[in-house]
Amino acid sequence: MFNKILIANRGEIALRVICAAKDLGIRTVAVYSEADRHSLHVRFADEAVCIGPAKSTRSYLDIPSVISAAEITNVDAIHPGYGFLSENADFAEVCEMSGIKFIGPRPDVTRLMGMKQQARAAMKAAGVPILPGSEGVLSSAEEGLEMAARVGYPVILKAVAGGGGRGMRVVREAAELPGLLAQAQSEAGAAFSVPDVYLEKYVGAPRHIEFQVLADEHGNVEVLGERECSIQRRHQKLIEEAPSPAVSPKLRKRIIESLKKALGDIGYSNAGTVEFLMDEDESLYFIEVNARIQVEHPVTEMITGVDLVKAQIRIASGEKLDTIITEPIQLRGHAIECRINAEHPETFAPCPGRITGLNLPGGAGVRVDTAAYTDGVIPPYYDSMIAKLIVHGRDREEARARMRRALDMFVVEGIYTSIPLHKRIIDHPDFIDARLDTNFMARMLAKAAH
Ligand code: MV4
């Protein structure tokens, strides 16, 4: 096992990784920007190194600065958390070349998963259901028109190097396709330096459902069920839950079996998430792989009892999965997570500033992952998420009731937060009845506006 690891991140996830390392008896090194000098990840790590100014391109995203900090402190491994360098295959390669273990998948695998049309082809080859569409990159508008006619309109054009919704265009009829293809290609070229685009059948109001995977470095794969992530606004998730109310045991079993084969064939290792869309027929279709630990991993931890971050570290140290997961995975009860953001609950404008008062809820079935504290300052330079409130219950309704009372007891003074918005969602009849799709928030906000 490692003696010491560096955490190349900040905020709640840096603290989360420090907790996992402490539980394993591993020493920790925090890195921080000048804006994060007084952060809890700095306070609770065994050592801390300032790696640059507030701007993340000059600190948390600066590969030479992070590697220098790792070399000075003589760590064995680096955990990248989520965001920042977590899916940067070049960074994972530099770690490897510097003799530092990167806690995540191999760089070649991360690179392959980043090329969405290749990930799609790999999944298809292993029998994972995909949406009808192009085999690879579109080479011309003519090819796009031919393909769209075959799968039927509407179709969606997606950047192969895309993510988070950038470089996507929905095409409703043939006449629009050449123009939208040119737009998608130029947007993709500007944003990702790769103009390549592929085509899929478009699903109108899908559910967003993702499966959690753990794989060791000896070819063994486990799938820890799924999460429902349909409650989102502009590609930012707000609420996640596990299991998905829309996935039957039979469908779950089928997807899990196909994913075990696919990830084995790909040579995937460490933690990962495989994203799907569910259409009105309740069929699941693969869309992409996220080669990192995700924000919403705690809902899976709550229903499986598996500490995913500890598992990541143990896998990276070479342990076999059957020593980490010693019994068949069981999904127990129901978990819900609310992402608490420092933002105005109506305008969604970010709201950095000083937290002058704070009460974190607790009690049975409640977990709060946060790096916030009274008198702490939320800097304006980074993501606005300041806490994750996670609850567990025997069933969805018990979890929902616990979420409602925990939100009532969650007090943040000095800045605006999304807590009032979460109360509205939790009380919404469609949420109560689990009638969820990716348009839920747009519908709820449009109704409230008139
Ligand atoms: C889609 C889709 C409909 N049909 N693909 C958005 C981000 C990227 N990860 C994939 N996305 C979508 N792909 C097909 N074939 C609709 C979306 C989509 C979406 C997906 C998940 C969660 C929220 C979303 C919001 C808008 C669009």
Side-chain angles (χ1 to χ4, degrees):
M1 180 46 74
F2 307 125
N3 277 311
K4 204 202 279 190
I5 67 172
L6 180 144
I7 299 102
N9 216 301
R10 64 180 302 281
E12 69 84 19
I13 193 63
L15 265 188
R16 171 72 188 83
V17 178
I18 290 171
C19 290
K22 282 182 184 286
D23 288 354
L24 289 167
I26 300 169
R27 293 173 54 78
T28 52
V29 177
V31 293
Y32 63 96
S33 74
E34 282 164 14
D36 283 338
R37 198 169 292 280
H38 303 290
S39 298
L40 291 190
H41 76 286
V42 172
R43 180 159 169 178
F44 292 125
D46 295 298
E47 294 169 68
V49 182
C50 182
I51 52 165
K55 209 171 152 44
S56 50
T57 49
R58 300 190 53 202
S59 48
Y60 299 107
L61 285 169
D62 187 64
I63 295 174
S65 298
V66 174
I67 295 290
S68 298
E71 284 179 336
I72 291 165
T73 53
N74 197 29
V75 298
D76 307 305
I78 297 182
H79 194 301
Y82 51 68
F84 294 128
L85 298 169
S86 61
E87 291 180 282
N88 186 320
D90 296 338
F91 175 64
E93 240 162 37
V94 175
C95 288
E96 218 162 74
M97 290 186 300
S98 310
I100 301 162
K101 180 71 184 186
F102 176 80
I103 302 173
R106 295 201 317 260
D108 58 316
V109 171
T110 294
R111 211 168 266 129
L112 183 76
M113 295 301 101
M115 292 181 271
K116 316 280 167 181
Q117 94 290 8
Q118 294 205 34
R120 187 174 133 89
M123 290 294 163
K124 185 184 179 194
V128 179
I130 62 167
L131 286 156
S134 57
E135 286 284 323
V137 172
L138 291 182
S139 57
S140 66
E142 290 67 43
E143 192 190 345
L145 286 164
E146 206 173 286
M147 188 63 60
R150 206 172 321 149
V151 309
Y153 290 89
V155 297
I156 187 167
L157 303 170
K158 293 183 174 181
V160 310
R166 279 197 303 174
M168 299 194 327
R169 289 290 184 284
V170 178
V171 186
R172 309 263 166 205
E173 54 181 59
E176 302 178 327
L177 191 138
L180 290 175
L181 177 60
Q183 277 181 32
Q185 286 169 331
S186 83
E187 192 175 309
F192 317 111
S193 324
V194 183
D196 296 346
V197 166
Y198 65 104
L199 179 151
E200 273 177 4
K201 175 88 188 155
Y202 177 68
V203 186
R207 282 175 181 260
H208 183 204
I209 292 168
E210 57 186 32
F211 284 72
Q212 176 67 54
V213 172
L214 281 178
D216 67 18
E217 298 179 353
H218 313 276
N220 306 297
V221 183
E222 282 279 4
V223 181
L224 294 91
E226 77 288 346
R227 297 183 284 260
E228 164 92 46
C229 306
S230 299
I231 307 284
Q232 56 85 42
R233 182 183 168 271
R234 298 194 179 171
H235 304 290
Q236 293 294 326
K237 293 167 188 159
L238 289 165
I239 297 187
E240 304 94 351
E241 56 184 294
S244 166
V247 174
S248 68
K250 194 174 134 216
L251 176 58
R252 179 178 300 119
K253 191 156 180 270
R254 224 173 52 228
I255 298 292
I256 288 175
E257 285 317 308
S258 71
L259 286 178
K260 280 187 179 172
K261 171 165 168 47
L263 292 157
D265 290 355
I266 288 165
Y268 197 92
S269 58
N270 216 278
T273 297
V274 187
E275 292 189 6
F276 289 81
L277 296 181
M278 179 180 268
D279 67 7
E280 281 120 66
D281 309 342
E282 309 210 329
S283 301
L284 284 169
Y285 302 97
F286 166 82
I287 50 169
E288 55 194 70
V289 176
N290 299 320
R292 60 165 190 275
I293 191 77
Q294 289 196 249
V295 173
E296 59 270 28
H297 75 276
V299 291
T300 299
E301 296 186 321
M302 300 288 260
I303 65 160
T304 60
V306 175
D307 185 322
L308 291 168
V309 181
K310 265 171 78 173
Q312 284 191 288
I313 299 169
R314 294 177 67 179
I315 286 167
S317 81
E319 278 190 52
K320 284 192 169 162
L321 209 48
D322 62 6
T323 67
I324 300 168
I325 298 172
T326 52
E327 280 154 48
I329 298 290
Q330 279 190 56
L331 308 183
R332 286 187 41 258
H334 200 94
I336 307 175
E337 172 179 280
C338 287
R339 297 189 186 191
I340 314 293
N341 296 328
E343 66 186 23
H344 195 279
E346 266 125 51
T347 65
F348 296 95
C351 187
R354 185 178 299 275
I355 295 174
T356 55
L358 183 66
N359 184 59
L360 299 181
V366 175
R367 164 176 170 184
V368 182
D369 281 19
T370 187
Y373 61 95
T374 305
D375 288 333
V377 172
I378 308 302
Y381 310 101
Y382 314 108
D383 193 274
S384 66
M385 194 184 75
I386 57 163
K388 302 187 304 205
L389 171 57
I390 309 112
V391 299
H392 185 236
R394 270 166 308 192
D395 53 32
R396 190 171 186 271
E397 196 45 37
E398 187 176 60
R400 204 182 66 79
R402 283 187 164 151
M403 181 58 83
R404 180 65 222 210
R405 70 92 168 142
L407 285 167
D408 288 336
M409 297 171 108
F410 203 137
V411 182
V412 183
E413 288 168 341
I415 58 171
Y416 286 112
T417 75
S418 51
I419 292 170
L421 181 74
H422 283 301
K423 291 178 185 171
R424 283 168 61 197
I425 301 169
I426 291 296
D427 290 344
H428 194 286
D430 287 350
F431 185 82
I432 294 171
D433 294 340
R435 285 189 295 267
L436 309 176
D437 65 60
T438 54
N439 296 332
F440 176 98
M441 283 307 296
R443 262 198 313 275
M444 186 183 98
L445 296 171
K447 269 249 176 63
H450 47 68

